[in-house]
Amino acid sequence: MNADPMANPAHPHARVAPWIGDLVAAALIITAAAVPFPEAEFHPDGIAETLLVAAPAVILPFRRRWPIPVLAICLALYGIAAACVILSPGIVLATAIAMFGVANRSTRRVTLIVASSAVFAVVVLSLFASLGTVFDPRTFQFAIVIAFASAAGDATRSRREYIVAITERAVRAEETREAEAKRRVADERLRIARDLHDAVAHQIAVISLNAGVASSAVDARPEQARAALATIRSAARTVLGEIGDLLEVLRTETDDGEQPRSPQPGLDRLDDLIRQFGAAGLAVNVRVDGDIGRLDGASGLVAYRVIQEGLTNAHKHGAEARAHVLVDVGDDAALVVVSNPVLPAAARPNAAEARSGHGLLGLRERVASVRGSIETGLTPGGYRLAATLPLASSALDTRRENP
């Protein structure tokens, strides 16, 4: 992006080439030197004096590289002309242009100092022109022209800096929008990954376990094999339906641009979840203390996912095909615990690795999203997954106390 659109020749407000401005200034200075002054005694007489009042036309183009030295030379030429009893508007015009260049390329503090010094120099040097007193109108005219040139140069510099500032601000805003868009895409990818895992993980585990049962019992225990195949069929139908619902949510957009959310499970569907695992061969003992209805909204969804993930891991990696679920709803928070016995250490070489997969990682993110905490690990009684979830009312009170 071009920070200065005025530098583009195709821009409708692009400034003219510098040499054109120099030619115009030189033409005005030379014309002022050649045209007779209203008062003949102040008109340059001879080639030397004419060259003196026309000299700024040659010096002025260097003001872009050396603005203050060029201004000083113009003031010196003005003083020499005044000492020679010559007054030429061309030198005053050159001094004003040089003053504009200084203000356009310096800070405001430098501009004030240089402009004050230039005005003072013009007033003092005008005394040598035998104009009578410093209160001669022409002296004030010259000083006002220089002061006006410094103000115009400072305004031009301020406008240029303002344009650069708003351009940089626009660039930063665009970069911020891009970063925000990338962050939202990353968050959405994580959400989709969590939802996909929650939708299929435990059903795939059920299919895998029952496939093993069916393959081993197909000859000796055909009834058990048929029951395992029926469970596989039911789990496959369930997971296909959940994937279809998830894809429908991803493909559909509401009028306000937000994606619709399908009904999310909560603890009101806990009995159905326990029945699913019971049908898959996992005996689950459930204990509920307190009002389970207080776990609603986001906390209820997270509590459901904690139990689902814990029972899935118990079914896949636990021993004795049993697990225990505790839901303890207190005044400010709820404790959700899933525990199950495990095989002896010698018989479970990869148990720790199995317990540290994507499921627990996504579960930690879900629990953190509601400002809860989670603990996992082996205990003397087996493996324990425990999550502490703040209730909706207590979380709201916390946000009010700590805005």
Side-chain angles (χ1 to χ4, degrees):
M1 179 179 292
N2 191 351
D4 186 5
M6 302 295 288
N8 184 3
H11 195 275
H13 300 291
R15 55 172 175 258
V16 297
W19 62 269
I20 297 179
D22 293 339
L23 284 180
V24 173
L28 292 175
I29 294 171
I30 295 174
T31 300
V35 174
F37 199 79
E39 299 185 25
E41 64 272 18
F42 297 127
H43 184 70
D45 186 15
I47 298 178
E49 293 181 355
T50 301
L51 292 177
L52 174 65
V53 296
V58 180
I59 301 172
L60 214 53
F62 297 97
R63 69 188 183 280
R64 295 181 182 85
R65 186 169 184 180
W66 300 293
I68 294 180
V70 169
L71 174 63
I73 293 174
C74 289
L75 289 173
L77 292 175
Y78 178 83
I80 295 172
C84 296
V85 196
I86 300 173
L87 288 180
S88 175
I91 297 181
V92 177
L93 176 62
T95 304
I97 295 174
M99 185 68 246
F100 179 90
V102 172
N104 192 31
R105 292 169 175 79
S106 305
T107 62
R108 182 161 296 174
R109 180 179 179 182
V110 173
T111 298
L112 289 174
I113 295 174
V114 175
S116 301
S117 302
V119 170
F120 178 76
V122 167
V123 172
V124 173
L125 294 174
S126 296
L127 295 176
F128 297 102
S130 301
L131 299 178
T133 65
V134 295
F135 300 103
D136 189 281
R138 285 166 294 194
T139 302
F140 285 104
Q141 290 173 3
F142 297 160
I144 290 173
V145 168
I146 294 175
F148 177 79
S150 66
D154 182 74
T156 302
R157 176 190 53 79
S158 298
R159 179 178 179 276
R160 184 176 64 252
E161 292 177 351
Y162 172 75
I163 293 175
V164 172
I166 61 175
T167 302
E168 292 178 352
R169 193 178 302 121
V171 171
R172 287 197 298 269
E174 184 67 23
E175 293 175 350
T176 302
R177 282 194 294 268
E178 292 178 358
E180 179 66 15
K182 291 180 180 179
R183 186 191 65 80
R184 290 185 179 183
V185 169
D187 291 344
E188 188 65 13
R189 289 175 61 186
L190 289 176
R191 186 189 68 80
I192 293 172
R194 287 196 298 264
D195 290 347
L196 186 61
H197 177 273
D198 294 337
V200 304
H202 80 280
Q203 297 292 351
I204 296 299
V206 169
I207 292 174
S208 176
L209 291 173
N210 282 274
V213 172
S215 63
S216 61
V218 65
D219 295 328
R221 297 181 298 277
E223 293 296 330
Q224 186 178 0
R226 280 194 291 270
L229 291 175
T231 302
I232 291 174
R233 184 165 53 251
S234 175
R237 189 182 304 112
T238 300
V239 74
L240 287 175
E242 291 183 354
I243 292 177
D245 293 340
L246 180 60
L247 292 177
E248 182 179 0
V249 171
L250 296 177
R251 290 172 178 171
T252 307
E253 290 188 358
T254 56
D255 294 337
D256 57 2
E258 294 183 358
Q259 290 184 344
R261 301 281 182 164
S262 59
Q264 296 288 345
L267 291 186
D268 55 335
R269 293 170 54 180
L270 179 59
D271 293 339
D272 295 337
L273 182 65
I274 299 302
R275 277 195 295 270
Q276 291 178 14
F277 279 99
L282 181 67
V284 183
N285 181 27
V286 181
R287 175 184 170 186
V288 177
D289 295 333
D291 184 8
I292 197 174
R294 298 181 61 195
L295 265 173
D296 56 359
S299 296
L301 170 61
V302 173
Y304 180 90
R305 296 306 187 191
V306 169
I307 297 173
Q308 184 184 54
E309 180 67 21
L311 293 180
T312 299
N313 288 337
H315 196 193
K316 291 170 60 178
H317 311 296
E320 303 177 15
R322 62 184 177 89
H324 181 78
V325 175
L326 169 64
V327 181
D328 185 7
V329 182
D331 295 333
D332 300 325
L335 177 65
V336 180
V337 180
V338 180
S339 58
N340 60 274
V342 295
L343 295 172
R348 47 179 173 85
N350 298 321
E353 295 181 5
R355 301 281 185 163
S356 60
H358 296 289
L360 288 180
L361 179 60
L363 196 61
R364 293 182 188 277
E365 294 172 351
R366 285 191 181 275
V367 172
S369 67
V370 295
R371 300 184 179 182
S373 60
I374 187 170
E375 296 179 358
T376 61
L378 294 172
T379 63
Y383 190 85
R384 181 175 182 269
L385 169 65
T388 302
L389 308 174
L391 299 179
S393 58
S394 62
L396 179 61
D397 294 339
T398 302
R399 286 193 293 270
R400 287 175 176 174
E401 295 174 358
N402 303 292

